[in-house]
Amino acid sequence: MAHFATALVLWNVPLAWAINVTIPLFAPYGSYLMSPTLVSFSIEQDRWPDWAGVSARNEFTYNALQNYQALTGRPPNIRVGADSADHTIWSPDVQIISDEVFPAPDSVTPYPEATTLTVGDEYYALSQFLPSGTRMIWGVNLGSDNVTNAVNMAKAIVGAFNTPEVQNAGISLLRLEVGNEPDLYKNPTHMLRPKGWPVQDYVADWESVAGPVVEAVGISSNTGPVTLQGASFSGQGYTPREIFALGILGSQAGQTISTISQHRYSANFCNGGKLGLISFMSKTSVRGNISMFEADIAATQAQGLEYILGETNSVACHGAPGVSNTAGMALWVIDYTLQAATKGISEAYFHQGIGYKYNFIQPITLNFSTIDGSPLDPPELPHIQPIYYGGLVVNTFIGGTGTAEIIELTVDDDNVSGYAAYEGGLLVRAVFVNLRPWVQDSTGSRPSVHLDLQVMLGLGEDDSSELDVGLFLGQTASARRLVIQHADDVANLTWAGQSWENVDIAPTGELELETISLAAGVDLRATEAILIML
Ligand SMILES: *[C@@H]1O[C@H](CO)[C@@H](O)[C@H](O)[C@H]1NC(C)=O
Ligand SMILES: *[C@@H]1O[C@H](CO)[C@@H](O)[C@H](O)[C@H]1NC(C)=O
Ligand SMILES: *[C@@H]1O[C@H](CO)[C@@H](O)[C@H](O)[C@H]1NC(C)=O
Ligand SMILES: *[C@@H]1O[C@H](CO)[C@@H](O)[C@H](O)[C@H]1NC(C)=O
Ligand SMILES: *[C@@H]1O[C@H](CO)[C@@H](O)[C@H](O)[C@H]1NC(C)=O
Ligand SMILES: *[C@@H]1O[C@H](CO)[C@@H](O)[C@H](O)[C@H]1NC(C)=O
């Protein structure tokens, strides 16, 4: 194997820094199964008809989701709800949607969320336009504290999934979620509950609304087919540990909770400001934003329940310009999602709206800039944003067997992270992400690291257990690279040589599969990712 001499590295400040990475050949104890829907989506429900399509499916949404399905065998789960679910009224007199009120847009929030909307049964039946096999989570209004309305909504949702249109389309209802980010209800910006509303009152309130909901639609256990999703807290305002201690799981509705959801954004742009992309291209930041949930994950798993990030993305309040919409996010999302998977988070639902800066998918024509609200002439056609490529990488890493397990690899570099995937207990893939920013203003030569890969039989530090990967796994492996010109670009990425930035979201250009010699290792430039298939 080729190794750079350490002295040479130190004294000559070379462009390629050599790092040894040991990869266990067999899945170590503590590896987690990766869900084929690890990358899932949460959709703000005020503009759900734009996403789904009204008289026919939205082809752009459909294709974007199908591309992900093609890689893991399952379309992403779709949660529809979020803040606007807590402002939704169901009416027997409305067909799809009416009386939608939006605040005035401004440069910080060019695409604000509806403050109120009324929906009818067919609104939910638009679910039929998603790819066959899609499983959904729908939000029920707790914010209004109106049991009649909550029950009406739940009945309309369950009713829609019992229609022939939705059933024949192969779309199923997985969970209902009663209330979105209730730990924020007491805030001046929400004013849905009194100032200082304590978690004890939340639990009692939730039980008083969710109880009649499960009763009305016949949900009686947490084993399905339809169950409840609990918590959905915005931050650490209330925690799953607290509500477990308050006995929520013993209540009629609590007994039907199969899944605990928490939300996470790494920063917020609610009042604008200037956020740096660089702080996101950081292994330390990514780990900090996931490890904060460790105690709640452990408490949830101790109850035998599933744990998800039911709403997440880079920056709260729809993303920050120069951060959420950039190519750097494609790398951030790989590290963030896989880091979550190694901590027992089974799915991450990336929040999306119409015209939000952090979207993977902009599914309809936009007439105003997502960045500052200025008019777009010509309008911008439906398109993907750079972060979409990160999902392609993650889903390729997960693969289509439904059996892949993940571990994080120790990579002794501040900017490079690595993960390995195992099927049937045997190493099948590895992915490396170099988060070191290479931006439009960067000068000089683009730095890169050299990764020397050493496959090990066991976990010991003993060198004798290292195997020559060339002998054990063949001399070569095939690799796909995610190539980014600059972290602050908003387009022009390629994945294995191909661009997906077109109206059909179909790969264009020659597929480039690199053949790498395992003995020689690989170079990985700043702001780049590579997936190695063994
Ligand atoms: C990498 O491992 C080899 C032996 O396997 C060793 O000689 C070399 O010093 C290591 N390099 C670094 C940077 O640790
Ligand atoms: C609760 O919802 C029902 C059904 O939408 C409505 O008729 C009623 O007026 C609501 N109650 C309050 C207090 O808003
Ligand atoms: C979360 O990520 C942001 C942006 O990268 C960073 O500024 C912040 O410090 C991180 N939070 C934690 C708790 O690590
Ligand atoms: C932009 O304008 C077109 C044509 O009027 C319309 O179909 C589309 O919905 C508009 N986009 C948004 C996000 O409102
Ligand atoms: C990691 O990236 C930072 C810039 O974000 C850079 O200053 C640092 O030298 C890099 N570390 C290594 C080991 O390359
Ligand atoms: C994409 O790359 C082309 C050719 O290098 C360049 O002209 C164009 O400005 C780039 N677009 C963006 C959005 O970065």
Side-chain angles (χ1 to χ4, degrees):
M1 269 186 240
H3 297 291
F4 287 87
T6 309
L8 187 83
V9 165
L10 286 177
W11 300 119
N12 292 346
V13 196
L15 292 174
W17 177 273
I19 310 161
N20 287 335
V21 181
T22 53
I23 311 179
L25 180 60
F26 301 113
Y29 181 77
S31 50
Y32 272 102
L33 189 67
M34 283 189 284
S35 166
T37 47
L38 173 58
V39 177
S40 282
F41 292 110
S42 161
I43 293 177
E44 190 66 47
Q45 88 169 46
D46 55 1
R47 303 201 65 168
W48 160 243
D50 289 327
W51 282 89
V54 173
S55 49
R57 74 185 183 205
N58 179 325
E59 289 292 337
F60 196 86
T61 303
Y62 186 86
N63 290 339
L65 299 174
Q66 274 237 309
N67 287 338
Y68 280 6
Q69 168 174 24
L71 297 168
T72 68
R74 247 199 196 280
N77 289 355
I78 303 291
R79 170 222 190 204
V80 190
D83 187 53
S84 44
D86 272 332
H87 300 277
T88 299
I89 308 293
W90 175 86
S91 164
D93 305 325
V94 169
Q95 202 184 1
I96 297 180
I97 194 165
S98 81
D99 302 324
E100 218 173 355
V101 179
F102 288 94
D106 59 31
S107 61
V108 170
T109 314
Y111 292 89
E113 288 167 28
T115 47
T116 171
L117 58 153
T118 306
V119 303
D121 288 347
E122 288 184 34
Y123 170 86
Y124 297 108
L126 301 179
S127 304
Q128 68 187 279
F129 293 133
L130 294 173
S132 180
T134 303
R135 296 173 303 174
M136 299 191 73
I137 295 106
W138 272 96
V140 171
N141 184 341
L142 175 68
S144 307
D145 220 358
N146 183 325
V147 173
T148 309
N149 183 53
V151 166
N152 285 345
M153 276 173 83
K155 281 180 163 170
I157 294 163
V158 171
F161 282 83
N162 287 331
T163 61
E165 291 77 14
V166 178
Q167 296 221 321
N168 294 340
I171 316 296
S172 54
L173 179 64
L174 204 53
R175 295 186 286 271
L176 296 177
E177 182 181 70
V178 182
N180 174 73
E181 304 189 341
D183 51 330
L184 295 184
Y185 286 1
K186 61 188 171 196
N187 285 8
T189 44
H190 288 62
M191 292 191 299
L192 292 167
R193 296 294 186 278
K195 197 162 167 254
W197 200 48
V199 65
Q200 288 82 353
D201 290 10
Y202 157 72
V203 169
D205 192 342
W206 183 86
E207 289 173 1
S208 75
V209 177
V213 163
V214 295
E215 180 93 48
V217 296
I219 301 175
S220 56
S221 84
N222 69 359
T223 55
V226 182
T227 60
L228 288 197
Q229 179 158 306
S232 317
F233 302 141
S234 95
Q236 310 296 89
Y238 307 152
T239 65
R241 281 165 291 160
E242 285 175 325
I243 62 172
F244 295 160
L246 288 165
I248 197 169
L249 298 176
S251 66
Q252 181 189 17
Q255 287 173 19
T256 74
I257 293 177
S258 64
T259 308
I260 291 293
S261 160
Q262 280 181 286
H263 297 180
R264 183 64 194 164
Y265 294 90
S266 299
N268 84 74
F269 191 67
C270 303
N271 301 307
K274 184 132 183 66
L275 272 79
L277 169 61
I278 307 304
S279 77
F280 284 79
M281 301 192 66
S282 154
K283 259 172 98 171
T284 310
S285 290
V286 167
R287 275 140 198 78
N289 280 282
I290 297 294
S291 64
M292 63 198 298
F293 295 113
E294 276 171 8
D296 283 319
I297 296 168
T300 300
Q301 292 176 342
Q303 299 286 349
L305 307 179
E306 190 179 344
Y307 188 93
I308 62 170
L309 287 181
E311 183 185 317
T312 192
N313 213 318
S314 52
V315 182
C317 294
H318 309 171
V323 178
S324 306
N325 57 324
T326 66
M329 284 298 110
L331 299 179
W332 172 82
V333 82
I334 299 169
D335 196 30
Y336 184 78
T337 309
L338 295 182
Q339 182 62 215
T342 63
K343 293 286 185 268
I345 295 172
S346 59
E347 289 159 343
Y349 290 71
F350 289 92
H351 198 52
Q352 313 281 296
I354 295 297
Y356 296 177
K357 298 170 187 76
Y358 52 46
N359 277 16
F360 286 50
I361 305 159
Q362 300 288 11
I364 65 167
T365 298
L366 300 178
N367 307 299
F368 298 96
S369 159
T370 62
I371 299 307
D372 60 11
S374 58
L376 293 172
D377 186 16
E380 208 170 4
L381 294 176
H383 61 282
I384 54 166
Q385 301 213 108
I387 193 170
Y388 184 84
Y389 284 91
L392 291 174
V393 177
V394 171
N395 280 9
T396 310
F397 178 73
I398 295 169
T401 65
T403 63
E405 294 178 89
I406 183 173
I407 60 154
E408 181 171 16
L409 298 169
T410 302
V411 183
D412 187 16
D413 182 288
D414 291 347
N415 302 306
V416 182
S417 62
Y419 300 89
Y422 297 84
E423 286 172 2
L426 206 63
L427 178 65
V428 284
R429 289 176 287 281
V431 67
F432 295 96
V433 183
N434 189 345
L435 290 164
R436 184 168 185 175
W438 182 253
V439 295
Q440 289 165 18
D441 283 346
S442 295
T443 53
S445 309
R446 187 164 174 172
S448 86
V449 294
H450 181 81
L451 303 174
D452 275 318
L453 310 173
Q454 295 170 313
V455 175
M456 287 175 65
L457 261 185
L459 271 174
E461 297 291 303
D462 181 6
D463 271 358
S464 63
S465 65
E466 283 179 14
L467 294 170
D468 185 322
V469 286
L471 287 179
F472 247 76
L473 296 163
Q475 300 294 332
T476 59
S478 158
R480 294 166 187 249
R481 213 176 274 269
L482 179 65
V483 173
I484 293 170
Q485 307 305 324
H486 309 97
D488 46 352
D489 286 351
V490 298
N492 278 343
L493 291 78
T494 56
W495 168 229
Q498 297 182 310
S499 169
W500 298 65
E501 294 160 34
N502 54 71
V503 287
D504 300 320
I505 334 173
T508 56
E510 281 294 301
L511 178 68
E512 280 173 22
L513 294 179
E514 290 175 40
T515 302
I516 60 164
S517 153
L518 287 174
V522 290
D523 286 330
L524 187 61
R525 296 186 304 168
T527 306
E528 190 166 81
I530 192 166
L531 175 72
I532 301 169
M533 287 156 294
L534 296 151

